[in-house]
Amino acid sequence: MNFKTLTALAIITASLPGQALAHTGNDHVHGIASGFLHPFSGLDHLLAMIAVGLIAARLGGSALFRLPLAFVSAMVAGAAYALTGVTVPLVETAIITSVVLLGAALIANANIPVALAITGAVTFGFFHGFAHGTEGPAAAPLGHILGFVGGTVILHITGIAAVHSLARHGAGPTSALRAIGTGIMGAGIGLAFVA
C-alpha cells in the first residue's frame, strides 16, 4: 500500500461513527464471549493490540513473549483496578495516545531497549484494561477478564504472525511495518477527533 492509500484508509476509518471506540460506556458486555469480542469491537483496541505483536516480533528475542505478556498482565491489573470503582482520568486519551505512539514506533523502526518497550506496554495495557474493566459485568467479572485476555492474545499473535509471514515470503518487513505503522498512527489521530 502506498502512503495515499493508507491516508485515505485512515480518513475513512476516522469518519466512522462512535463504534470505532470499543468502550462507549454502554453496559453491553457480559461474560466470557462478550469479553472475548471486546478487543475486536473497537478500532482503538484492535490496532493497539496488533501493534504490540508487530513490535514484539520486530524486536525479537525475549521481547517476542515479554512484550505481549507485559501488556496482558497490566491489562488484567487495570481491569481489576476498575472493578474497585476507582476512576482514572483521561482513559480515552491514554488509549488513543497508545495507538498513535505504537504506530510511530513502527514507523521509526528503532531498536529500542526491551525494558523501554515493556514500560510502554505496561502503561498502555493498564489503560486498555481499565477501559475493559469498567464495562465488565459486576456479577461475573472473572469471565469477562478471561474473555478479553483471550481476544488480546489472539491479536498479539496476529501481529507476530504478520511479521513472520513477511519474513518467510522474502518481503523485507521494514518497509511493510513502516506502512502499517503509518496507517495505525493515522487511524489513532483520526480517532482522537471521533472520541
Side-chain angles (χ1 to χ4, degrees):
M1 273 190 215
N2 62 31
F3 182 74
K4 288 181 182 178
T5 305
L6 289 171
T7 303
L9 182 60
I11 290 169
I12 291 167
T13 301
S15 66
L16 294 173
Q19 59 264 42
L21 299 173
H23 28 88
T24 59
N26 298 330
D27 186 20
H28 65 283
V29 181
H30 302 288
I32 290 176
S34 292
F36 177 81
L37 293 174
H38 198 227
F40 297 92
S41 68
L43 195 57
D44 49 357
H45 290 311
L46 183 79
L47 292 176
M49 292 169 188
I50 289 174
V52 168
L54 292 167
I55 293 168
R58 161 66 185 85
L59 292 174
S62 68
L64 190 60
F65 66 90
R66 290 175 67 196
L67 207 59
L69 181 61
F71 187 95
V72 170
S73 298
M75 196 174 63
V76 170
Y81 192 61
L83 293 174
T84 67
V86 176
T87 59
V88 173
L90 304 173
V91 171
E92 292 294 330
T93 302
I95 290 172
I96 291 172
T97 300
S98 76
V99 175
V100 172
L101 292 179
L102 289 165
L106 288 165
I107 294 167
N109 194 38
N111 281 326
I112 61 172
V114 173
L116 179 61
I118 288 172
T119 301
V122 166
T123 303
F124 300 152
F126 176 84
F127 285 105
H128 282 269
F130 188 88
H132 287 316
T134 59
E135 296 203 354
L142 183 59
H144 174 66
I145 290 171
L146 290 174
F148 71 68
V149 164
T152 299
V153 168
I154 287 173
L155 291 171
H156 289 333
I157 291 170
T158 300
I160 291 168
V163 173
H164 288 287
S165 178
L166 287 169
R168 255 193 326 272
H169 289 83
T174 301
S175 59
L177 288 177
R178 283 188 171 137
I180 293 167
T182 301
I184 289 172
M185 189 170 117
I189 292 168
L191 288 171
F193 294 101
V194 176

